[in-house]
Amino acid sequence: MASSADGWQSRVYELYWHGVEAHAQAQRAEGAERPRLVLRSLDQHSQAAGILRAELATRPEEPRLNEQLASLLYSMGSSQIAIDLIEEALSSLDESESCYKRSGPTSPELAARIGDVRARRATAHSVAVHTASALTDADLAVEAYAGAGLQAAGPPVSLDFARLLSMVAVVQAQHGDPDQALYCAGQALSRYQDAIDTVICDPSAHLGYATDMAAEVASRIEAAHGNWDYALAVDGFTLNTAEQGWGDLAGALARTGVHLRAAGRAAEAAPLLARADSLDPDAVPAQERILADGVPVTLGEAVLQAGAALGEPVEALHRALASGESASVTGRLPHLEAAPPCARRLGQQATGLWQSQGDSGVAWRLALESHLLYCTAFRHFVGDPRNWLREHGEGWAQTGITALHLALAEGSGAAHDDLCRPLAALSGHLEELAKGGRPVAAAAELARMTAG
């Protein structure tokens, strides 16, 4: 006779695979059938999660149960993003990370799983235009891999990191610094190319959506800057893999054709554009719009433009923040103790531009990057946080005030409301400082702007 443990484990297993089957069917479906099947998959996985939670209620520190639930919640979060259930996805992914942290001692394998959860959560925040949270989670995702020394690993770990970097590149391209987006995309594609033999043995696991994401980001940014040799080299790689059945062939043909035409090679572009149009009539117009839209200002460009507008020397600041390459905010500076002074300068530039009614897009880039530098410096500070806040809380608060004004000026209520969450927490810390006799001048205004 089967034990009760065998009973619930079998039921979880059954529900899990029914959910996987429904999700696989959804991937092949079209129209209204696709979300219906995703919802069926979510229902099956939700039932399985409920069983695991009930078991964890009696054994909350059981490693295997936490790992099973974490993995299931990660799958649920991915499905919820696919059908725009963003708040539900964020909840699932938050719980997934918590469960992974309870599933055993820190190890490279666990770090990679946590990094994957954070990257997926960054994607969810990005879809919701939670700009600061998306970039913070992207930073934390890279940090998880780098902190475990996995950034230098070979296949298959390098391919997992490539997939994560592809997701981070998309988030950075949407909301962050295009230079960092390009670096992430290039690093992802480099890892795919370096491990091509492994990829060929199991293409379904590593090519397709992730390669497409990295290539689209790299090609778009290089094309926006007129770097046609680089853009077309990426396009060639993508088209080659798409011709082999991995990825979006119509999109690859259209992007390559549009870029060839823009580079003055119309004769080479014509057959590719015609073929793309025959596969998907929307593919070429979509790529034309992407090229016309360009890309946002980089942090390096923003620093130089602000310096010129405000009449300030910025060479040292530009050299510190933009002379190297990095995949994350944490990696911008070799020593994090340099982050708060750089953040203060960026915040001052943003405030100066905003008050003088300068370029709001440039000011927003500066204010956002300032806030992110403060966040990462505070997160990594070892010691009494009150000591750090006594020195840097005023600058962070002023940056936060400017960033909130600029988010509204840029027309993004979602980005504004998202910023309010970490800045409300900062306001609480500053209130505690004031109670201890160390008031911060900007704290009252920050508290007013983040209240409610």
Side-chain angles (χ1 to χ4, degrees):
M1 181 176 176
S3 69
S4 59
D6 289 337
W8 68 258
Q9 288 172 344
S10 297
R11 181 58 176 156
V12 167
Y13 183 85
E14 177 186 14
L15 288 165
Y16 173 75
W17 283 109
H18 283 168
V20 169
E21 181 181 0
H23 193 272
Q25 292 172 350
Q27 296 296 98
R28 299 188 294 269
E30 296 180 358
E33 184 70 1
R34 175 171 289 185
R36 187 185 70 80
L37 287 166
V38 173
L39 286 170
R40 179 192 294 177
S41 172
L42 280 170
D43 179 63
Q44 301 292 311
H45 285 167
S46 294
Q47 290 183 55
I51 295 170
L52 289 171
R53 288 192 189 97
E55 292 298 320
L56 274 168
T58 60
R59 292 175 286 161
E61 302 305 320
E62 174 61 36
R64 181 60 182 158
L65 284 175
N66 276 292
E67 183 181 353
Q68 286 179 309
L69 181 55
S71 177
L72 187 61
L73 289 163
Y74 176 80
S75 296
M76 288 174 61
S78 300
S79 297
Q80 287 160 335
I81 293 169
I83 55 173
D84 291 328
L85 297 175
I86 301 303
E87 290 303 321
E88 292 85 346
L90 292 172
S91 177
S92 295
L93 294 166
D94 284 344
E95 188 180 358
S96 176
E97 180 173 356
S98 295
C99 288
Y100 270 132
K101 288 178 177 178
R102 292 195 297 268
S103 69
T106 301
S107 66
E109 293 78 11
L110 180 58
R113 290 171 184 166
I114 290 173
D116 290 345
V117 172
R118 291 170 175 174
R120 190 68 67 182
R121 193 169 60 212
T123 300
H125 280 302
S126 181
V127 170
V129 199
H130 297 162
T131 302
S133 291
L135 293 171
T136 297
D137 269 334
D139 190 40
L140 288 167
V142 174
E143 192 176 291
Y145 268 76
L150 298 176
Q151 75 275 27
V157 174
S158 64
L159 292 167
D160 291 331
F161 192 34
R163 176 175 44 80
L164 179 139
L165 286 170
S166 297
M167 290 191 284
V168 169
V170 172
V171 172
Q172 287 279 10
Q174 185 72 25
H175 300 293
D177 183 351
D179 280 345
Q180 289 195 320
L182 182 59
Y183 180 76
C184 288
Q187 287 292 305
L189 291 171
S190 175
R191 283 168 170 77
Y192 282 125
Q193 290 174 312
D194 289 345
I196 195 67
D197 291 339
T198 303
V199 170
I200 290 171
C201 291
D202 189 11
S204 63
H206 302 297
L207 279 173
Y209 82 95
T211 311
D212 270 359
M213 288 193 298
E216 192 278 332
V217 169
S219 178
R220 172 157 56 97
I221 294 172
E222 295 287 18
H225 291 118
N227 298 327
W228 297 116
D229 288 344
Y230 292 107
L232 289 166
V234 174
D235 293 341
F237 171 74
T238 311
L239 184 54
N240 181 53
T241 59
E243 292 279 17
Q244 298 176 59
W246 307 330
D248 175 17
L249 179 57
L253 287 163
R255 184 161 62 239
T256 307
V258 167
H259 289 170
L260 281 168
R261 187 174 60 193
R265 296 160 62 178
E268 295 172 68
L272 300 179
L273 294 171
R275 191 173 166 208
D277 187 64
S278 70
L279 292 172
D280 179 1
D282 295 328
V284 173
Q287 291 300 323
E288 290 172 336
R289 286 193 297 272
I290 288 170
L291 181 60
D293 286 343
V295 294
V297 65
T298 69
L299 175 60
E301 291 167 343
V303 168
L304 294 176
Q305 290 179 33
L310 299 171
E312 297 176 358
V314 294
E315 290 76 12
L317 181 64
H318 182 270
R319 189 165 52 250
L321 292 172
S323 62
E325 295 179 313
S326 69
S328 67
V329 176
T330 302
R332 276 203 187 279
L333 297 162
H335 306 291
L336 275 174
E337 58 267 25
C342 288
R344 177 180 281 273
R345 283 291 312 281
L346 291 177
Q348 289 169 341
Q349 284 189 324
T351 301
L353 280 179
W354 170 61
Q355 291 177 342
S356 63
Q357 298 183 324
D359 189 315
S360 62
V362 171
W364 169 245
R365 167 63 50 228
L366 296 167
L368 180 61
E369 296 290 345
S370 172
H371 167 73
L372 295 170
L373 280 171
Y374 276 123
C375 281
T376 194
F378 187 55
R379 186 169 70 243
H380 289 91
F381 179 75
V382 177
D384 189 340
R386 291 172 296 184
N387 293 334
W388 189 94
L389 287 166
R390 288 187 190 105
E391 185 173 358
H392 305 298
E394 172 70 26
W396 192 0
Q398 187 57 63
T399 286
I401 291 167
T402 299
L404 289 170
H405 283 298
L406 287 166
L408 293 178
E410 289 287 284
S412 182
H416 172 274
D417 294 347
D418 176 61
L419 264 173
C420 279
R421 287 187 280 270
L423 292 175
L426 171 62
S427 178
H429 290 309
L430 297 181
E431 185 178 346
E432 290 299 315
L433 282 185
K435 290 178 180 177
R438 298 294 296 269
V440 169
E445 178 65 5
L446 185 67
R448 184 190 67 79
M449 293 186 70
T450 57

